[in-house]
Amino acid sequence: MTVVAMGMPAVRTGLPSMDGRPDTPQLVDRFGRVARDLRVSITEKCSLRCTYCMPEEGLPAIPADELLSTAEIVRLVVLAVRELGVHEVRFTGGEPLMRRDLEQIVAGCRAELPDTPLAMTTNGVGLAHRARALAAAGLDRINVSLDTVDREGFARLTRRDRLDSVFAGIRAASQAGLTPIKVNAVLMRETLGGAADLLRWCIEEGCELRFIEEMPLDADHEWARTNMITAAELLEALGTRFALTPVGREDPSAPAELWQVDGGPATVGIIASVTRKFCGDCDRTRLTADGRIRSCLFSDQEYDVRAVLRSDASDADIATLWRGAMWNKWAGHGIDAADFVPPERSMGAIGG
Ligand code: SAM
Ligand code: SF4
């Protein structure tokens, strides 16, 4: 196995070690986990510049010939479902709406995979114009990232004044049937005071809100454990406006813990990605926009599936690489370890 340095994560060429791997088509790892949830990043470009994710100037552009094409993405997604036991696919980025061929990617996957749930994580900017076409192409549902319903606060956090476009996108998606709509909010000190207003807005709009602890995946490397807002602080802030009753997790591999709001039926979820251990239940496998398989958000070990794909490899060759990449997935992110080093790629370059 050779490791090639590219100013990006170390890309592994050749076949990963298969030592001890059981003979199963599924994406199993050494710790007994099985990856069934595929996250596909389709671009590094974005219409926003959230401070916890992107640098102000945006990410360096991926050269066009290094980006996976429509047909390549469809081939890999179909293969993951048919050969590797993937049950669910989510398109992400960067901002997936920045790709003009998003509808074609969705339609291509849907044509081959009539029963596989296809979802998207989006910032919602410009979604109002495309929600119906995406639903018609076969997209099932969306998660929208929205951290605050305060216009000035939104503009400060995302470095763009686009809150109205996000509101319009969420409403259009709801009308197009891309439901249930989940809203993701990253816990930041700047927006904590508006968390209760965001929850009230989501309840009124029929969206399911989930807060996520900020992870050390910002491009500016400013994350500090001592500065992050924890799930406990959020619960205290929400508790001043709402009566919250814990109801546990939706299912074992869903990282959000749910609370019933004011006796229900509305709930709010919290993903304590830093303060509570959840790697043991992780069922994700990732594909980056430039064609690397990644087994974990925090691991810089990447496998170059684009090179294999473009070398006229068979589906069986690609499947073997993917299985090996996941077999070597590590146990956990290690954020709490004294020697923790954040990964080279920021969240927008991996695909959250
Ligand atoms: N642009 C789309 C969006 O914002 O939904 C998709 C890509 S974005 C990288 C995917 C998710 O990652 C978003 O919900 C975003 O809030 C989350 N995210 C980005 N940076 C993060 C960080 N440092 N910690 C936790 N979540 C983060
Ligand atoms: Fe763009 Fe999403 Fe990152 Fe915000 S979180 S900068 S919307 S990729």
XYZ file of all heavy atoms in Angstrom, residues 46 52-53 92-96 121-123 145 184 186 212-215 217-218 347-348 352, ligand 1:
191
model
N -20.376 26.298 -2.527
C -21.504 26.608 -1.647
C -21.952 28.044 -1.829
O -21.142 28.923 -2.129
C -21.135 26.354 -0.189
S -22.599 26.450 0.869
N -18.626 27.934 10.942
C -18.195 26.653 11.515
C -17.815 25.637 10.449
O -17.484 24.498 10.760
C -19.280 26.073 12.426
C -20.664 26.038 11.788
C -20.974 25.128 10.794
C -21.644 26.948 12.183
C -22.221 25.109 10.201
C -22.895 26.941 11.597
C -23.181 26.023 10.597
O -24.422 26.010 10.005
N -17.886 26.044 9.188
C -17.650 25.082 8.108
C -16.654 25.589 7.071
O -15.628 24.965 6.833
C -18.997 24.771 7.449
S -18.931 23.665 6.034
N -25.108 15.455 -0.480
C -24.704 16.578 0.340
C -23.560 17.296 -0.353
O -23.326 17.138 -1.539
C -24.369 16.071 1.778
O -23.968 17.178 2.575
C -23.310 15.009 1.810
N -22.845 18.145 0.401
C -21.760 18.884 -0.230
C -20.870 19.500 0.844
O -20.823 18.991 1.970
N -20.291 20.612 0.535
C -20.725 21.769 -0.194
C -22.253 21.873 -0.258
O -22.938 21.301 0.559
N -22.720 22.598 -1.206
C -24.164 22.740 -1.336
C -24.621 21.999 -2.597
O -24.291 22.415 -3.703
C -24.541 24.233 -1.394
C -25.996 24.488 -1.680
C -26.940 23.624 -0.834
O -26.773 23.550 0.385
O -27.860 23.005 -1.416
N -25.385 20.913 -2.423
C -25.770 20.110 -3.591
C -26.530 20.903 -4.652
O -26.434 20.592 -5.847
C -26.616 18.980 -3.004
C -26.796 19.274 -1.564
C -25.808 20.291 -1.156
N -29.168 16.815 1.993
C -28.929 17.834 3.016
C -28.558 19.114 2.283
O -27.643 19.111 1.456
C -27.798 17.409 3.977
O -28.188 16.190 4.617
C -27.569 18.448 5.050
N -29.274 20.195 2.566
C -29.122 21.428 1.788
C -29.230 22.635 2.702
O -29.832 22.562 3.775
C -30.227 21.502 0.705
O -30.168 22.775 0.061
C -31.625 21.318 1.281
N -28.670 23.759 2.237
C -28.883 24.994 3.003
C -30.178 25.683 2.575
O -30.558 26.696 3.139
C -27.680 25.941 2.891
C -27.417 26.416 1.466
O -28.326 26.500 0.639
N -26.167 26.757 1.186
N -30.320 22.994 6.623
C -29.515 23.562 7.705
C -29.947 24.994 7.939
O -29.909 25.808 7.020
C -28.032 23.524 7.328
O -27.685 22.197 7.037
N -31.566 21.164 10.579
C -30.354 20.957 11.382
C -29.799 22.301 11.803
O -29.635 23.186 10.960
C -29.247 20.293 10.549
C -29.598 18.903 10.096
O -30.493 18.271 10.637
N -28.882 18.422 9.091
N -26.525 23.965 13.993
C -25.280 23.746 14.740
C -25.283 24.674 15.958
O -25.645 25.848 15.848
C -24.046 24.031 13.844
C -22.758 23.875 14.643
C -24.029 23.086 12.647
N -27.113 20.222 16.658
C -25.894 19.406 16.560
C -24.763 20.150 17.257
O -24.559 21.341 16.994
C -25.495 19.204 15.075
C -26.660 18.635 14.276
C -24.264 18.323 14.953
C -26.438 18.666 12.775
N -24.051 19.463 18.133
C -22.880 20.114 18.733
C -21.842 20.383 17.656
O -21.616 19.541 16.769
C -22.273 19.207 19.813
C -23.076 19.209 21.102
C -22.499 18.278 22.166
O -21.599 17.458 21.840
O -22.956 18.346 23.303
N -21.215 21.544 17.750
C -20.213 21.904 16.747
C -19.004 20.979 16.857
O -18.465 20.770 17.943
C -19.759 23.358 16.940
C -18.859 23.816 15.813
C -18.040 25.061 16.141
O -18.058 25.513 17.295
O -17.382 25.566 15.219
N -18.564 20.457 15.729
C -17.408 19.559 15.721
C -16.186 20.281 15.147
O -16.334 21.271 14.423
C -17.726 18.315 14.881
C -18.840 17.479 15.464
S -19.166 15.988 14.501
C -20.266 16.612 13.253
N -14.475 20.691 12.683
C -14.420 20.466 11.235
C -14.537 21.786 10.485
O -14.881 21.818 9.304
C -15.557 19.522 10.809
C -15.428 18.084 11.302
C -16.724 17.312 11.097
C -14.276 17.367 10.590
N -14.268 22.894 11.175
C -14.315 24.208 10.521
C -13.018 24.439 9.760
O -11.933 24.060 10.225
C -14.523 25.321 11.559
C -13.459 25.307 12.652
O -13.157 24.213 13.169
O -12.916 26.382 12.964
N -15.625 20.300 6.987
C -16.913 19.629 6.767
C -17.397 19.811 5.324
O -17.872 18.863 4.695
C -17.937 20.189 7.742
C -19.236 19.445 7.764
S -19.039 17.780 8.389
C -20.300 17.733 9.635
N -17.288 21.029 4.791
C -17.786 21.283 3.436
C -17.043 20.499 2.373
O -17.576 20.260 1.287
N -21.186 16.686 4.972
C -21.710 16.375 6.314
C -22.996 15.588 6.255
O -23.560 15.358 5.201
N -24.627 22.800 2.435
C -25.493 21.799 2.959
C -26.025 22.188 4.310
O -25.498 23.120 4.917
O -26.948 21.530 4.763
C -24.883 20.421 3.022
C -23.461 20.318 3.478
S -23.158 20.751 5.156
C -21.420 20.466 5.281
C -23.896 19.387 6.005
C -24.165 19.574 7.468
O -22.951 19.715 8.160
C -24.994 20.809 7.790
O -26.147 20.432 8.513
C -24.068 21.640 8.640
O -24.757 22.357 9.611
C -23.163 20.593 9.241
N -21.871 21.120 9.691
C -20.986 21.863 8.990
N -19.908 22.157 9.733
C -20.112 21.583 10.958
C -19.364 21.523 12.180
N -18.187 22.112 12.284
N -19.888 20.831 13.205
C -21.098 20.228 13.103
N -21.853 20.234 11.993
C -21.375 20.918 10.924
